[in-house]
Amino acid sequence: MVSESKIKNQEISKKIIMKFVTVVGARPQFIKASILSNFFKDSGIVDEITIHTGQHYDDNMSSVFFETLNIPKPKYFLGISNMSHGQMTGQMLLEIEKILMFEKPSLIIVYGDTNSTLAGALAASKLGIKICHIEAGLRSFNNLMPEEINRKITDHLSDLLFSHYLGSVNNLKNEGITKNVFISGDIMKDACLHYAKDNINRSEILSKYKLEQNNYVICTIHRQENTDDLNTLKFLINNLNELSKEIKIVFPIHPRTKKIIRENNILLSSKIIEIDPIDYFDAMRLIKSSKIVLTDSGGLQKEAFYLGKQCITLRTETEWIELVEHGYNILFNRYSQISLLDLYRERCKLEVLDFDLYGDGNCGKMIFDNIIHFVQDEE
């Protein structure tokens, strides 16, 4: 006699008619993918296979995210990191291609603008597998940034493109990309609103480092243009040291940034609290309780906005141009005519932000529905 549970398992297996591969490798991608993965899991018609390239090799920046976000761990972990951009992308391309040839998915899903994004898109395009790019159309208009090259090539390879904002759709249109382009809003907003409800308050990071509400700033630095150019890195650290005389700075330090600082004997003020990379909920708690956010991360610029904090972006440009245009964000770099300390004082005078950008927090559902319709139409 066949057990009832076995019959149910057989019924479920018959419902699974689509196989998708998702490629992730960096912190923001884990967060974005968690939203869509839950829709796939609940649908009963999608078998999602996740490839983790290993691009972020620190445990607090990779595997811990799958635990805290309550999503299945990747079926494949490639462990590819700590290489030059070309070597990393090439190794990822080789390994992802093998997996795609074995799994034979109908669609590959990539996020953002990392080497993992580009490698996934290239591997799929060579095999004739349809590509979905989430966060399409972003442009910093700086081709010296590896991320700019990654996102542009991925957009031109993709069959289904989801953009956060009209400006990104216009960027795509200007490059001749108009088919299967959707304004979806930002899936990171879904994640921020969803996880902020309960999980942020469970974080104990404020008590761990004796931090008071609105009495510190959080800072992250990891972009190649900031870390590999020693003059730029020293400029930023000197400004942080000056700012730390007025307010505490919490500095979750990226492994690569830490290595370069140590190797070049760049001194951090004793008032800068240097901590190891942190999980998503600790990061959210630090942002929500901070006075202001300093970062060169695209993801943190948006998270600051969603949590009602002003942001100073430590770069010469940003792909999130509308945040600057609407006054929620401002750039600071070696060419700025003002010190970081003075800029911080100015930004602290501004009012609390409103939240009219990037959709209503239902981006994941919109993307899910359009992916299903697209794949069904293709089949």
Side-chain angles (χ1 to χ4, degrees):
M1 182 175 179
V2 180
S3 68
E4 182 179 348
S5 61
K6 187 172 182 180
I7 292 173
K8 286 182 178 179
N9 288 335
Q10 289 174 344
E11 289 174 350
I12 291 172
S13 66
K14 290 178 182 178
K15 290 180 182 178
I16 298 175
I17 57 174
M18 303 179 188
K19 181 187 284 189
F20 301 158
V21 165
T22 295
V23 177
V24 293
R27 171 190 178 274
Q29 293 170 337
F30 308 144
I31 300 163
K32 297 166 193 171
S34 72
I35 297 298
L36 202 51
S37 291
N38 284 324
F39 281 104
F40 291 150
K41 182 173 60 177
D42 293 343
S43 73
I45 61 171
V46 175
D47 178 15
E48 183 191 22
I49 294 165
T50 301
I51 301 172
H52 180 2
T53 64
Q55 186 166 342
H56 276 178
Y57 52 90
D58 184 278
D59 187 61
N60 279 337
M61 301 181 77
S62 57
S63 63
V64 70
F65 276 91
F66 294 95
E67 298 170 9
T68 57
L69 298 175
N70 193 31
I71 54 177
K73 289 189 176 181
K75 182 175 181 179
Y76 298 96
F77 177 75
L78 305 184
I80 299 171
S81 63
N82 202 24
M83 302 175 183
S84 68
H85 285 284
Q87 187 179 10
M88 188 185 297
T89 306
Q91 289 289 327
M92 290 176 184
L93 172 59
L94 180 66
E95 296 303 319
I96 293 171
E97 182 183 61
K98 293 177 185 176
I99 296 168
L100 295 181
M101 291 175 68
F102 175 76
E103 295 289 353
K104 296 180 173 58
S106 53
L107 184 77
I108 186 171
I109 301 168
V110 294
Y111 293 82
D113 54 20
T114 66
N115 293 332
S116 304
T117 308
L118 177 59
L122 284 170
S125 68
K126 299 289 187 181
L127 296 172
I129 297 168
K130 298 298 182 182
I131 303 164
C132 169
H133 186 201
I134 296 173
E135 208 171 79
L138 284 177
R139 296 292 183 268
S140 67
F141 303 101
N142 179 2
N143 284 334
L144 296 177
M145 290 178 61
E147 295 85 357
E148 183 77 350
I149 302 303
N150 292 345
R151 63 174 75 105
K152 288 173 72 174
I153 295 175
T154 300
D155 282 339
H156 282 268
L157 293 174
S158 295
D159 303 281
L160 187 59
L161 302 96
F162 293 100
S163 295
H164 69 292
Y165 195 68
L166 179 60
S168 290
V169 173
N170 290 335
N171 290 336
L172 294 172
K173 184 178 180 180
N174 290 337
E175 296 175 18
I177 304 171
T178 57
K179 186 178 180 181
N180 293 325
V181 174
F182 299 90
I183 299 178
S184 61
D186 182 22
I187 201 166
M188 183 72 88
K189 183 173 184 177
D190 289 31
C192 193
L193 296 178
H194 174 72
Y195 294 120
K197 292 177 182 177
D198 302 309
N199 295 293
I200 289 182
N201 293 328
R202 295 209 301 251
S203 169
E204 298 178 354
I205 196 162
L206 297 188
S207 59
K208 180 178 180 179
Y209 293 104
K210 298 180 174 59
L211 300 172
E212 299 175 355
Q213 186 87 15
N214 292 320
N215 199 27
Y216 66 90
V217 300
I218 178 173
C219 175
T220 70
I221 300 173
H222 78 279
R223 292 274 181 179
Q224 175 180 297
E225 62 265 32
N226 284 335
T227 60
D228 291 4
D229 184 327
L230 285 181
N231 289 329
T232 296
L233 184 59
K234 289 177 180 177
F235 168 83
L236 292 175
I237 296 300
N238 287 340
N239 272 271
L240 290 176
N241 287 340
E242 180 185 13
L243 177 60
S244 72
K245 296 175 183 177
E246 180 153 322
I247 190 167
K248 287 182 180 179
I249 299 175
V250 181
F251 189 17
I253 191 163
H254 189 284
R256 184 178 67 253
T257 307
K258 183 176 183 178
K259 182 174 183 286
I260 294 171
I261 286 175
R262 298 291 185 269
E263 288 178 348
N264 292 278
N265 297 314
I266 300 173
L267 298 179
L268 292 174
S269 165
S270 59
K271 295 183 179 179
I272 295 177
I273 304 170
E274 181 184 327
I275 65 176
D276 290 331
I278 50 180
D279 70 29
Y280 181 53
F281 301 129
D282 282 344
M284 296 275 279
R285 185 63 189 174
L286 280 178
I287 294 170
K288 187 176 182 181
S289 299
S290 68
K291 185 73 173 177
I292 207 167
V293 174
L294 314 173
T295 188
D296 61 4
S297 162
L300 259 68
Q301 291 175 53
K302 291 183 297 171
E303 288 163 345
F305 171 61
Y306 297 143
L307 294 172
K309 298 297 175 179
Q310 282 286 333
C311 180
I312 299 175
T313 295
L314 307 176
R315 287 165 54 186
T316 56
E317 75 289 303
T318 177
E319 54 274 26
W320 301 100
I321 296 170
E322 54 278 356
L323 288 177
V324 175
E325 291 175 343
H326 287 81
Y328 305 132
N329 192 356
I330 193 168
L331 302 176
F332 176 78
N333 53 66
R334 291 169 62 186
Y335 309 103
S336 298
Q337 301 300 309
I338 187 173
S339 70
L340 183 60
L341 175 59
D342 288 337
L343 185 58
Y344 160 78
R345 289 170 175 167
E346 285 186 5
R347 302 306 285 185
C348 286
K349 297 174 184 176
L350 299 180
E351 296 179 0
V352 176
L353 311 179
D354 59 46
F355 304 92
D356 291 331
L357 297 176
Y358 306 141
D360 58 4
N362 291 305
C363 173
K365 181 63 165 60
M366 186 271 192
I367 291 177
F368 169 79
D369 288 342
N370 279 279
I371 285 176
I372 299 302
H373 291 153
F374 173 81
V375 174
Q376 287 174 338
D377 288 344
E378 288 294 316
E379 295 179 348

